Each structure stands twice: as C-alpha cells, then as structure tokens.
Amino acid sequence: MIQVRAMLFIVLTCQCFWVSAEPIHLQLRWHHQFQFAGYYAALEKGYYKDAGLDVIIYEGTPEKKPVQEVLQGHAQYGEANSELLLERLRGAPLVALAAIYQHSPSVLIARKDAGISSPDGLVGKKIMLLNQAVDADFVAMFNNEGIDIDRLHIIPSSYEIRDLIDGKADAFNSYLSNEPYFLKQQGIEFNVLNPRNYGVDFYSDILFTTEDELKQHPERVKAFRQASLEGWYYAMDHPQEIIDLLLNKYKVNKSRDHLNFEADAIRSLIIPDVIDLGHMNPWRWRHMAETFIKAGMVENDKFLQDFSYDPDPKADKEKLLKYIRIAVTITLLTGIGTLTLLASYRALKRKNKKASRNEKLLRLAHETAGIGYYAIDLATGLWESSPLLDQIFGIDANFDRVIPNWATLIHPEHRQRVLDHYQDVIRNHERFSMEYVITHPNDDETRWVIAHGYIEYDKADNPVQLVGTIQDITERKQAEETITCLNEKLKKKVHRQTNELTASNLSLMRKIEELRRSKHQLMEREAKLNSIFNASVEGIITIDMFNIIISANAAVDPIFGYKPEELIGCSINKLIQSSPRETNCCSLPHAAQPVSQIQEIDGIHKNGSLVSLDLSTAEYSIDNEHYFTHIVRDVSSRKQREQKDKKHLNELAHVTRLGLMGEMASGIAHEVNQPLSAISSYTQVSLNLINIDPPDLARLAEILDKTQQQALRAGRIIHRMREFVKSHAQKRSVADVNNLIHECAGLCVGELKQNNIKLTFELKNNLPPVHVDQIQIEQVIINLIRNSVDALKNLPEKQQRQLTISSRLTLNNDIQVKVKDNGAGIDEVQKQKILTPFYTTKADGMGMGLSITRSLVEAHEGTLNFNSKAGKGTTFYFTLPTEKI
C-alpha cells in the first residue's frame, strides 16, 4: 500500500510541467466535515499545487447538488453518491473517476419506540428522503423487499434530525457517520435500516467529472484524480491533523468528539487497509445498474459503457502481465522449495494449516452469523466462551464460569428441561439442538436462544467436554409469535370476508347491470349534448389552466372566423385580449366578477377586427385538473343599436330642455311685461313732475307709490313662477342609503363601462335609514356620478380611471355620502362659481345641474359641499339628517 501511494506522489510531481494552473472547481455534497477529508488534505498539503492545479473547494447545500452543478458548468469536478450512476444510465455525460467509499453510509434511522425494525415496518409511516434519484439505494431496497413505494408516506427531508426526535417523521435519511452521534448523545435509542442488509451495497462519495472535461483535458483529469487520492491516503493516516484543520480553518460546527466519531465510521466504509483508495470494480457497477433496472428506475444499461474511468489502461495490462510472470516464477520456485522442505513435515504442517484455517473460518462464520460458542470441561466443571456468547448472555470477563452458574443463566421455567436434555445427550451419545429462554444476571432481561452442540468422549467412553454454540433468536421468536397471531386473525378475517364477498357478489352483479343501463343512458345523453353543443348559436370554448383551448363548437366560425379545429391547442388570447378570469366588473363592490355572471368584452376576429361579446364562464374539475368553459355571444348589432338609441334619447332630452326653457321664458315674459311697462310709464311721469317749477311733490309721491306697487307685483310674479318650477310635493319614505347608491350605480353602469371607469364602493354597514324622497336623492347621486364621468372621460386612455362612492355616519348623527374621482380637478376660479346657477365648465352644459342638486339636498335639510385639487381629482359630498326618521 505504501509503495502505491509513493508511486502516486511521484507521478503527480513528474506531471507538474504540463498541467495548467487555471482555477479548478470541486463541488462537495454537503457542508465541510470529515466526510471530505481527503480533498482538504490534497489542498492543504500541496498535492493539487504540485500537480499544477489551482483547486477551489465548494461546500454543498440543499440547492447546490454536485451532479447538477457539474452538468451546468459551475464546477469541473464533483462528489456524488449512487445518483451519479442513475443519471449516467439516463443519458447524462458523466464519468466516475474514483469510488472513495466502498460501502454507502446512507441508512434510514427510526426511533426504537416506533417499532420499525425492517423495511416492512415503514409502510404507512412518514419517511424523510431527499428524492428518489439522490436516495436511489433506498428505492432499490424497497424494491428488493417487494414494497410498493406508493404505500410509503415520503416527505422532503428537512435535514434536521430534531424532526425524528420530535416525532415529525418516523424514519429519517441519515449517514452512519453523523446522525447516530446526535441520538447517542441525547440517549435516544434507535434502529438502523441499512440497505446493505437487504441486498443493496452501493459505492458512495464518488469523485466524478464530465465526458467533455475528460475529452478536452485528459491529463488534467488524471492529475486531479491522482492528487485527490494522495490526499485521501494522507487523511486516513493523519485523522487528528485533518480534524484540527476542520476546527481551526474551516470552522466546522462540530465538536472534536463528533469529528472523531465521524472519522472512525468513515474509515470502516473506505477500508483503506484492505482495498486501494478509489478502487472501482466494473462488475459491481453492472450490479448497481441491474438493481436500478429491476427497480424500474431506468430501462436499460446501454449508457454504462465508458462510465468508469481508467487512468492508464495500457499500463494496467502490461502491469498485469508482469505480475502474472512474477507470480508464475515465484510459484515455480516456491513449489520446488516446498517439495524439498515439506518432505518430512508434510503431514504435520497440513494438519496445523488446516486447523488454523478452519479455526479462522469458524470464528468468522460465527461472528458473521451472530453465533457465540463455548466449551465445558465436564471433569472440572469449568467452561470457556467467546466474546459474542458473553454478549448474548449479558455477562462480562469477571463472571465465574462454572456449571452451576451456567444453570443460573437459564430461565427458571426452562432450566430443568434443559438440564435433563443435557443428561439425555450424555447418555445417548448424540448431538443436541434445543431452544430455551435465558435471563441476563444484571438487568433480568430475557432472551430466546437456540443451542447446538455435541459431547466429546475419551477412549474409555467417558464424557470429557461439551462443545456448543448459542445464537440469539429473540427477534425470530417474536416474529413467529406475531405470525401465529396474525395467521389466526387472517384465518378469521378470510372466513368473514369470504361470507361478505359471497353476499356482495349478488349486489355486485346487480350494480353491474345498473351500470350497463347507466352507460347506455350516458351515451344517449352524450349524443344529445353533442347535438346541442354543435347546434348552439353561442360559441362554446373550453380551456385548461394554462389558457390552452381544448375544444370549441361550430358557432365559433361565424363569431371569430376560425374553424373549431384551427383553435385546438391555441391560447385563448388568440380570441380574447385578456384572460376572462382576470376581468373585473366595475359594478360589483369589493370583488371581481364571478365567473358565472355575464361579462361584456371585446373579442378578436380572424381578420383582426374587434367583436363585441357577452361572455359567461363555468369552472369545473376532472381528475384534479381545472377547466374553464367560456360561452360567448356576438352582441355587435345590439351594441350598435344601444348606441343609436342612446344618441336618439340625448337628442330628445335636448329638445325637451329647449322646449321647457322656451315655455318658461314665454311665461315669465308674459307675466312680467305688464308691471314692467307700468313702471316705465310711471318713471317717465315722475321725471316730468320733477322738471316742473315748482315741482308737484304731492303728485310725485303718488306716482312713486304706484311705481313701487308695480315693482312689488313683478316680484310676486317671479316668486310665483319660481314656486311653480320648484315642486314642494315631496313623496318621502323610509329608505336605505346604500341601496339607493347601488341602484344609481346600476343605472350608470353603461356609461362607466363605455368610458373604462373602475367603480369602487366603501359603504359602511348597518347605517340608520333616512326619511327622504327617494327619486330626488337618486337624482342627486346620479348627477354627481355623471359629473365625475364627464371629468374622467377626458383623462388619457392609459391612465387608470377610478370612481369611489362611500357612505358613513357623522358625529352629528347625519349620513354622509361621498362621490370621489381622480379626474383633472377644479381650479380656484371655478371653485367660486361651480355651485351657482347657469355656470358650467362644459361646452354644451346649461349650468343648472349642481345648482338643482344643492336645492334638492337643502330641501331635505342637508348640505352639499366639495373638495378638489387640480390634477388630483374632486370629491362631492352631501349629508342627510336622521333625527326625523
């Protein structure tokens, strides 16, 4: 082994001149710890530098996995587990350079009190795993044990062993070198499920690169591998130095005791004293591949070829031939010497060699199988035992090994039977095999054991020695008892279920007949629905969660100009500018339009023109997949008719207003003309009387008195006309202000949609009712909404147009209603005149709207006010008293 390491170092030194010193990135699997000791040693002891390599080591995280990092070009080299072979078999261009760990440290750990002692016990339990690719050895173990992985409750690993301790998981993916230390420190007993015990023995912590790196830089790959292995040799020989390095330089968050535990566990997995570091057996790779294929994780092993890196295949062949020639020569020389030396001692050496070999094999077999052995000298009554037997019996080196003390180790209920059996064995000269219960002398723990053995006799046929083996079969006995109990329960259950099945067969036959009839009815309904679907005048389009059209009926052709088959697989945005699921209805308070209500949207015709549509949407799920069915109707002609009717109504309203104004003007002129004429005449007479010398003051006073009477008459005429215009016949009733607001908003919804205005409500609940003329208050709200619409429709199209209506109860117990917009606002000059009659900011306005609105509010003992800021919008608000309710 030392010679191999020396040769590696020499090769590294000799190759320095041709390896470039560009930065080389090595991606580890996890945070810095002793698990990666060899790479730190190669870096710190200068093995990489001597090979001409500038290496940067990156620690891993849950997001930075080595295989992905190397494949994506973030690192040239990485260190991975069996997922490396799995990804290679799936076509990834990966190459294994060296298998550092000959056995995988990956195990599942369960708390002992969870009762999980084998993979079968995991069914239905919560198991924390990374994923099925990284934890491929566990998946293979489940497959070997015939466990359907769908029966396991697998949850993503939290990387926190505390979740196992706290019961958030029943089994936790762990490393033999890490998590067991934490559990032992906290005194928590646990069971280990090692895939090696179930036919899955994989390589681990495999140094790898890509085919491209090997092709472009073959010498660099070779140098990097050799320097890394030299580092591992150094780390295995100097573990304490590496632990100091981890604590002082890499600031590893582990205690020295923990790192020592990790180093010991890793050494048993690498076994550097037995196998060359980095050794890879092609047959073992093939076995791993076959395990993946058997588990259904890959289809075949066609990508396995050239997966395992050979640094110098030609040299290996020459070295092998050389070794064979040397071996043959040594064999011949040894054979000649052996024949000469063993002529006289052949029998003795054969006997000693065979005995030694048999002893070693027997010891190995016993330890592997968990069998302890013993020998009792029947003459002295003393006995000797192996360490494993002492462990089974729960005794130590100080235990007094005499036959009576052996008997005390047997459970009282079994003791006499066992002793009698030994006597029968001695008398009958036969081998023995028996099962009985023992009791540990220190803690009274009971265990089932099975004993095998025989008696040795001297030439006089006297028994001299009893030789036997003891094996702990407690778990087997418990399993047998469990199986017996389960078989009994199963027998009863089978009997019960047989009766139930017999009874349910008749019911099942009836249900099959019902299903047959239902299927026939379903086919009839489907045919009817298909007929309706294709005959409908509305377009019916179904999309999935990704807005992809999966079906459409024939009615989409006249609406959009596309045949149904042209739309399958296309996005709904090809027909509708925005997803109907995201369209908000401005007439609904606080929420988006439900999918079941009709929306007005614009569609896109095949020729590029816009089509006015009414759309309703239904949402449903099939096999946990969500779908949306849109029903669209072409309402272009209706929209045109509405526009035409609206224009006609506006013209009629304008004519009506002109007529009313004309009639009012004629009435005022007719009634006021006479007193005004009289006033004019009296005024002229007064002027004439003033000019007389001397003036006739008495006559002048009389004429001025008549002038005053005519002026008062004109005032009464105007007052009477004003009273005629201002109706005092109010029809008051109890009303809810919020309901009035919703009704008014509904009347204005057409104007809001037409001008793309978003309406929002901020209405307080449980407001007291008001006693008002509902028609007049609705007229007030409508006037304020329309004023805001006029202010908003002049905003740029891209600017959001917002209108907010709110209600609340004031401190004076009045109800206040606000209508707020984000329009251009009112300047300071307009603020002074905005509420006065005949003042307007509109080109075609009469200036009476806000004046009439204020009059209606004041007629209800309320007030009308406003706030406005240029460029920020305007808020009109009025109050209505509640004390007269």
Side-chain angles (χ1 to χ4, degrees):
M1 193 70 64
I2 297 175
Q3 292 177 346
V4 174
R5 292 157 56 186
M7 290 173 63
L8 285 173
F9 182 74
I10 292 170
V11 173
L12 283 171
T13 306
C14 293
Q15 292 179 344
C16 292
F17 68 93
W18 45 258
V19 180
S20 60
E22 63 179 290
I24 301 298
H25 299 157
L26 170 62
Q27 180 64 57
L28 303 180
R29 298 188 69 248
W30 196 235
H31 303 312
H32 293 308
Q33 53 190 337
F34 198 90
Q35 179 184 352
F36 314 111
Y39 305 115
Y40 309 133
L43 182 64
E44 299 299 327
K45 305 309 293 185
Y47 298 138
Y48 288 137
K49 182 178 180 181
D50 292 341
L53 301 174
D54 179 15
V55 176
I56 302 173
I57 300 176
Y58 290 122
E59 64 179 346
T61 65
E63 296 77 26
K64 293 179 65 175
K65 296 182 173 58
V67 171
Q68 284 71 30
E69 291 295 304
V70 172
L71 288 176
Q72 293 170 7
H74 300 154
Q76 294 95 332
Y77 301 89
E79 192 251 25
N81 277 359
S82 57
E83 74 267 19
L84 179 71
L85 174 60
L86 185 61
E87 294 300 330
R88 170 70 182 201
L89 295 177
R90 291 174 176 174
L94 301 169
V95 179
L97 301 180
I100 305 301
Y101 290 16
Q102 296 301 307
H103 303 292
S104 174
S106 295
V107 295
L108 286 177
I109 291 183
R111 288 177 60 116
K112 195 167 186 178
D113 53 16
I116 301 173
S117 58
S118 66
D120 290 338
L122 296 172
V123 175
K125 299 297 180 66
K126 294 177 290 184
I127 309 169
M128 278 195 173
L129 297 179
L130 298 177
N131 58 59
Q132 293 190 24
V134 177
D135 287 330
D137 40 4
F138 296 141
V139 178
M141 177 181 70
F142 298 146
N143 181 72
N144 285 355
E145 293 299 297
I147 299 173
D148 186 353
I149 199 169
D150 293 333
R151 297 174 62 198
L152 307 177
H153 184 192
I154 296 177
I155 54 180
S157 179
S158 64
Y159 301 90
E160 292 292 340
I161 190 64
R162 173 57 60 181
D163 288 341
L164 177 68
I165 298 173
D166 295 341
K168 296 181 181 178
D170 299 306
F172 189 84
N173 61 304
S174 309
Y175 256 36
L176 284 172
S177 57
N178 194 40
E179 282 75 13
Y181 177 82
F182 291 108
L183 297 177
K184 290 179 180 178
Q185 288 294 104
Q186 299 190 34
I188 297 174
E189 295 184 338
F190 57 91
N191 290 332
V192 176
L193 301 183
N194 194 329
R196 289 173 60 187
N197 297 331
Y198 301 95
V200 181
D201 189 4
F202 287 173
Y203 287 134
S204 180
D205 288 65
I206 306 156
L207 182 65
F208 72 94
T209 187
T210 61
E211 290 181 347
D212 184 63
E213 172 72 7
L214 181 58
K215 181 180 179 181
Q216 300 295 330
H217 308 285
E219 300 301 335
R220 184 167 73 186
V221 172
K222 186 175 183 180
F224 183 82
R225 176 182 180 273
Q226 292 173 341
S228 299
L229 292 178
E230 186 64 23
W232 273 106
Y233 277 119
Y234 187 88
M236 290 294 96
D237 289 341
H238 305 85
Q240 294 305 316
E241 182 178 339
I242 302 302
I243 290 175
D244 290 337
L245 178 68
L246 290 170
L247 292 173
N248 298 326
K249 180 174 181 179
Y250 289 90
K251 306 302 181 183
V252 173
N253 189 22
K254 289 184 178 181
S255 66
R256 178 175 293 275
D257 185 53
H258 189 178
L259 290 172
N260 278 314
F261 175 88
E262 184 180 9
D264 291 340
I266 287 172
R267 189 175 188 88
S268 67
L269 300 170
I270 296 177
I271 47 178
D273 299 323
V274 179
I275 298 177
D276 288 340
L277 271 164
H279 173 72
M280 296 185 294
N281 188 323
W283 295 104
R284 194 166 174 195
W285 283 125
R286 184 167 299 280
H287 172 71
M288 291 173 63
E290 291 172 353
T291 303
F292 288 147
I293 295 171
K294 182 180 177 182
M297 303 173 73
V298 293
E299 295 181 357
N300 52 59
D301 62 353
K302 67 178 182 179
F303 293 111
L304 183 59
Q305 186 175 0
D306 297 330
F307 170 62
S308 180
Y309 172 71
D310 189 345
D312 195 355
K314 182 178 180 181
D316 287 346
K317 291 179 181 179
E318 293 177 353
K319 187 186 298 182
L320 180 61
L321 292 174
K322 180 180 178 181
Y323 287 165
I324 292 173
R325 288 194 294 269
I326 294 173
V328 170
T329 302
I330 293 173
T331 301
L332 291 175
L333 295 175
T334 303
I336 295 171
T338 301
L339 291 174
T340 303
L341 295 174
L342 295 184
S344 59
Y345 303 103
R346 181 173 53 189
L348 179 59
K349 292 198 65 173
R350 186 184 301 118
K351 182 178 180 180
N352 291 339
K353 182 177 180 181
K354 184 177 181 180
S356 176
R357 181 186 61 195
N358 289 343
E359 182 182 356
K360 292 180 180 178
L361 290 175
L362 181 61
R363 186 183 301 113
L364 178 61
H366 284 175
E367 291 177 354
T368 304
I371 299 174
Y373 53 88
Y374 64 94
I376 300 177
D377 188 332
L378 298 178
T380 63
L382 301 177
W383 50 275
E384 298 178 353
S385 58
S386 68
L388 187 54
L389 185 136
D390 292 352
Q391 181 179 344
I392 294 173
F393 276 177
I395 60 178
D396 56 23
N398 298 322
F399 187 79
D400 190 8
R401 287 167 170 75
V402 295
I403 290 178
N405 285 347
W406 175 284
T408 63
L409 298 174
I410 303 173
H411 194 277
E413 295 180 3
H414 295 249
R415 186 176 300 155
Q416 192 58 48
R417 175 178 62 83
V418 173
L419 296 177
D420 291 343
H421 187 67
Y422 277 131
Q423 294 299 326
D424 293 339
V425 169
I426 294 174
R427 284 195 303 268
N428 300 326
H429 292 64
E430 60 184 13
R431 291 180 175 272
F432 63 86
S433 179
M434 57 182 141
E435 297 178 359
Y436 54 89
V437 177
I438 63 171
T439 304
H440 288 180
N442 295 328
D443 53 13
D444 293 331
E445 180 183 359
T446 59
R447 308 291 293 178
W448 271 95
V449 298
I450 182 169
H452 300 282
Y454 61 92
I455 306 295
E456 293 181 352
Y457 299 86
D458 60 14
K459 294 180 179 181
D461 202 25
N462 295 315
V464 294
Q465 184 172 245
L466 187 152
V467 179
T469 62
I470 296 291
Q471 184 177 14
D472 190 332
I473 59 169
T474 304
E475 294 182 0
R476 192 196 77 188
K477 296 294 288 186
Q478 291 173 347
E480 289 175 355
E481 292 175 1
T482 302
I483 291 172
T484 301
C485 180
L486 290 176
N487 284 338
E488 186 63 28
K489 291 182 180 178
L490 180 61
K491 187 183 297 182
K492 294 179 181 178
K493 186 174 182 180
V494 168
H495 179 72
R496 184 180 69 256
Q497 289 184 344
T498 300
N499 294 334
E500 292 175 354
L501 286 173
T502 302
S504 65
N505 278 339
L506 294 175
S507 175
L508 182 61
M509 295 299 295
R510 289 193 295 269
K511 290 181 179 179
I512 291 174
E513 180 61 24
E514 292 175 1
L515 286 174
R516 188 189 64 78
R517 290 195 297 268
S518 299
K519 181 180 179 181
H520 181 70
Q521 294 173 356
L522 184 62
M523 292 175 64
E524 290 181 348
R525 292 194 191 100
E526 185 177 357
K528 292 177 182 178
L529 288 174
N530 285 334
S531 177
I532 296 172
F533 179 74
N534 291 314
S536 175
V537 297
E538 288 88 3
I540 303 175
I541 305 168
T542 298
I543 64 173
D544 59 17
M545 283 296 294
F546 304 100
N547 287 339
I548 301 302
I549 300 173
I550 60 175
S551 68
N553 68 342
V556 299
D557 190 355
I559 297 176
F560 297 104
Y562 293 99
K563 298 293 183 183
E565 55 270 18
E566 295 181 69
L567 298 175
I568 304 302
C570 298
S571 173
I572 190 64
N573 294 332
K574 186 173 184 177
L575 304 179
I576 300 172
Q577 290 179 325
S578 61
S579 173
R581 287 176 280 160
E582 301 174 357
T583 305
N584 293 330
C585 176
C586 60
S587 64
L588 293 175
H590 302 300
Q593 171 103 6
V595 293
S596 59
Q597 295 187 1
I598 296 177
Q599 306 175 58
E600 293 184 1
I601 65 171
D602 288 332
I604 306 172
H605 196 273
K606 187 174 184 179
N607 59 17
S609 62
L610 296 181
V611 183
S612 297
L613 303 172
D614 275 353
L615 178 142
S616 59
T617 304
E619 180 182 2
Y620 55 93
S621 297
I622 300 177
D623 295 335
N624 295 325
E625 296 289 336
H626 290 279
Y627 297 94
F628 298 85
T629 293
H630 300 316
I631 302 175
V632 296
R633 174 180 293 177
D634 188 346
V635 294
S636 301
S637 58
R638 189 192 75 190
K639 298 290 287 187
Q640 293 173 358
R641 184 170 62 253
E642 288 177 353
Q643 293 292 334
K644 184 177 179 181
D645 291 345
K646 181 178 180 181
K647 181 179 180 182
H648 184 61
L649 289 173
N650 289 338
E651 291 175 351
L652 289 176
H654 181 64
V655 170
T656 301
R657 289 197 299 272
L658 290 178
L660 289 174
M661 290 296 292
E663 290 179 7
M664 183 182 294
S666 297
I668 293 174
H670 176 76
E671 294 292 334
V672 179
N673 185 55
Q674 185 176 359
L676 290 179
S677 298
I679 290 172
S680 176
S681 300
Y682 288 142
T683 302
Q684 185 61 46
V685 173
S686 297
L687 292 173
N688 293 335
L689 292 175
I690 290 173
N691 292 328
I692 298 174
D693 189 20
D696 188 349
L697 298 179
R699 178 66 174 164
L700 179 60
E702 180 183 353
I703 296 301
L704 289 177
D705 181 65
K706 292 180 178 181
T707 302
Q708 180 184 15
Q709 294 300 321
Q710 291 298 324
L712 291 174
R713 180 186 175 193
R716 285 194 298 273
I717 291 172
I718 293 173
H719 178 72
R720 189 167 63 252
M721 292 299 293
R722 182 169 179 262
E723 291 298 314
F724 174 76
V725 173
K726 180 180 178 183
S727 174
H728 290 281
Q730 292 181 339
K731 296 181 180 180
R732 296 201 178 197
S733 60
V734 175
D736 184 285
V737 169
N738 290 345
N739 290 340
L740 295 179
I741 292 171
H742 282 303
E743 290 176 6
C744 294
L747 294 173
C748 299
V749 67
E751 296 177 67
L752 296 172
K753 289 184 177 180
Q754 182 178 355
N755 293 285
N756 195 26
I757 298 172
K758 181 180 180 181
L759 176 59
T760 304
F761 295 91
E762 296 178 356
L763 309 179
K764 291 293 183 182
N765 296 324
N766 302 320
L767 292 175
V770 292
H771 194 249
V772 296
D773 186 320
Q774 296 187 34
I775 299 299
Q776 291 184 359
I777 297 305
E778 286 179 352
Q779 185 62 43
V780 168
I781 298 172
I782 289 174
N783 284 348
L784 296 180
I785 291 176
R786 285 179 171 167
N787 276 350
S788 293
V789 170
D790 291 336
L792 289 170
K793 66 184 180 181
N794 294 323
L795 293 177
E797 291 186 2
K798 294 183 178 180
Q799 184 174 347
Q800 176 67 54
R801 302 174 180 181
Q802 296 180 339
L803 178 62
T804 303
I805 303 178
S806 62
S807 64
R808 70 181 184 90
L809 190 66
T810 67
L811 297 176
N812 297 327
N813 204 33
D814 294 337
I815 291 180
Q816 183 186 76
V817 178
K818 287 186 178 182
V819 180
K820 179 182 178 181
D821 62 65
N822 64 332
I826 305 172
D827 61 29
E828 294 300 326
V829 176
Q830 293 173 338
K831 288 180 182 179
Q832 305 300 322
K833 303 177 181 180
I834 194 68
L835 296 179
T836 59
F838 304 109
Y839 178 79
T840 180
T841 60
K842 307 172 188 176
D844 55 351
M846 297 176 61
M848 295 297 292
L850 288 175
S851 177
I852 294 173
T853 298
R854 182 170 64 178
S855 298
L856 293 175
V857 172
E858 290 175 350
H860 285 80
E861 295 84 36
T863 59
L864 174 69
N865 293 288
F866 69 93
N867 292 320
S868 183
K869 188 174 183 181
K872 299 295 183 179
T874 303
T875 301
F876 279 93
Y877 56 94
F878 65 90
T879 59
L880 296 173
T882 58
E883 61 267 16
K884 293 185 179 181
I885 295 174

